[in-house]
Amino acid sequence: MNNSSIHPLAPIGPAPASRREELVRALVRGELRFHELPKDLSAEEAAEIRRRALERVTQTPLDNIAHHSLDVQRASRRHCENFIGVAQIPMGVVGPLRVRGRCAEGDFYIPLATTEAALVASTNRGCTAITQAGGAVVRVEDVGMTRAPVFRTSGIVQTQQFLQWIRDHDEDIRKITEGTSHHLKLLEVRPYTFGTTVFLRFRFDSGDAMGMNMATIACDRAVNDLIEPGTGVPCIALSGNYCVDKKPAAINFQEGRGKRIYAEVLLEAPVLHHQLKTNARDLVEVQYRKNLLGSIAAGSMGFNAHYANVLAAFFIATGQDPAHVVEGSMGVTCIESRGPDSVFASIFMPDLPLGAVGGGTALDTQREALAMLGVTPDPERPGDAVTRLAEIVGAVVLAGELSLMAAFTSQDLARAHEKLGRGEIRTPHQP
Ligand code: ADP
């Protein structure tokens, strides 16, 4: 076969192996782009052809990227275009962690996927401390998922007419947005205006789903089928950054987004001394100078030790969107002195988008991780599964905070990283 004759829609030839080779060569020569492979190839075949071409172009064997148990059809159609394989991340477990929530009540083993040595060991120590102290009390507010299209008016007069129209049509807006999903409820449309710019910040209850796609689809329908034709005011972007998605932002800190989570525990002297190798006075001082003053000095919105670490590992393990760690990293850890040698520790996470269905939660390993936590949506109790997930996250983030803060008081941090991060690797050939 002449290479230049290959066309993306060429039918399957009598010799699939030679046809695959032709496609690999076409990719290598740049005659075909990775997304232009013929649609009649299976997802596995397409992935293999892309890999083979990449191996030739980059002179890099991709055996490990090829090795996985994913449903390639699903992964490549629903989750990742130009699919070539997987990035594997080690997964560890912490627990048992006692959680005293409304939907999560009991002891949990929690999977964390990370490449950061000492994170799992440290968080596990925090879990033991919390469990020995009787468990973490956790409560969750379902703030809702937000999307804020941005519009351009001709000035103040048209802005006022536009906002009046929005108020007059609140029922129509509710009907059209909620019509896009049985699981969606419109909670609020909040305007914010200046100059010739108007933002409409839509806020939705999205049931057990994180809801970003659902909110986007609902806003798209409302804007295109109702608001633009009804007002004549153009929408400039469906996301006007007043939502605000995947950026740290004061509005999300103050008003919340996704789930707003509170977790707390009282730690008395025996747990502080024996489990966390610390004491109340030192812990309170590190809290004050590090989490509070240090964050003020830096102008940070994360008045905490490392929410992002535990969240990233939890998000990857359970199929959440890792980019939302940016928002989840905001929040406040408090450690207050109680009695002679006890502390009352709490965390506040104002902005945590979470889902028990949708997104990456359907992938096989992520589904197993969620099942370990008993997070399975129940049509009879909408929203309970994701609340359970949020309560478990709250408790494990608190565990991570306590252990790291305690490590600072005993100068354990560098020692732990040195020991665990640069540990000897035993191969089967070593004794
Ligand atoms: P997201 O909107 O969270 O970004 P998806 O695009 O995957 O993620 O949408 C979630 C999907 O899950 C929607 O199609 C929704 O109808 C469906 N769904 C199924 N069960 C539920 C449930 N219990 N709660 C919310 N959504 C659900």
Side-chain angles (χ1 to χ4, degrees), residues 112-247:
L112 296 176
T114 183
T115 55
E116 185 176 344
L119 180 65
V120 171
S122 172
T123 308
N124 198 42
R125 180 171 80 142
C127 291
T128 308
I130 289 175
T131 302
Q132 286 182 358
V137 174
V138 193
R139 291 294 181 270
V140 173
E141 287 175 79
D142 193 353
V143 179
M145 185 41 65
T146 55
R147 183 50 98 202
V150 55
F151 299 83
R152 185 190 61 234
T153 68
S154 57
I156 295 169
V157 173
Q158 194 184 31
T159 294
Q160 285 182 325
Q161 287 166 349
F162 179 73
L163 295 181
Q164 188 58 49
W165 189 96
I166 296 293
R167 281 191 291 274
D168 291 344
H169 292 79
D170 60 344
E171 259 320 297
D172 299 329
I173 293 172
R174 176 180 312 285
K175 272 197 202 119
I176 201 162
T177 52
E178 295 185 0
T180 60
S181 169
H182 297 307
H183 301 282
L184 208 61
K185 283 195 185 63
L186 179 61
L187 302 173
E188 182 186 38
V189 181
R190 177 183 307 192
Y192 190 73
T193 75
F194 47 79
T196 56
T197 297
V198 181
F199 302 93
L200 295 179
R201 193 174 192 255
F202 288 73
R203 189 160 59 85
F204 297 98
D205 179 326
S206 54
D208 284 301
M210 179 271 284
M212 193 67 268
N213 280 339
M214 294 160 77
T216 303
I217 291 164
C219 286
D220 183 63
R221 191 69 57 78
V223 167
N224 286 314
D225 294 359
L226 192 65
I227 298 173
E228 272 190 337
T231 63
V233 171
C235 174
I236 303 304
L238 198 57
S239 165
N241 269 22
Y242 186 60
C243 320
V244 49
D245 192 43
K246 299 177 179 172
K247 295 102 183 160

Side-chain angles (χ1 to χ4, degrees), residues 11 28 49 364:
V28 169
I49 289 167
D364 295 325

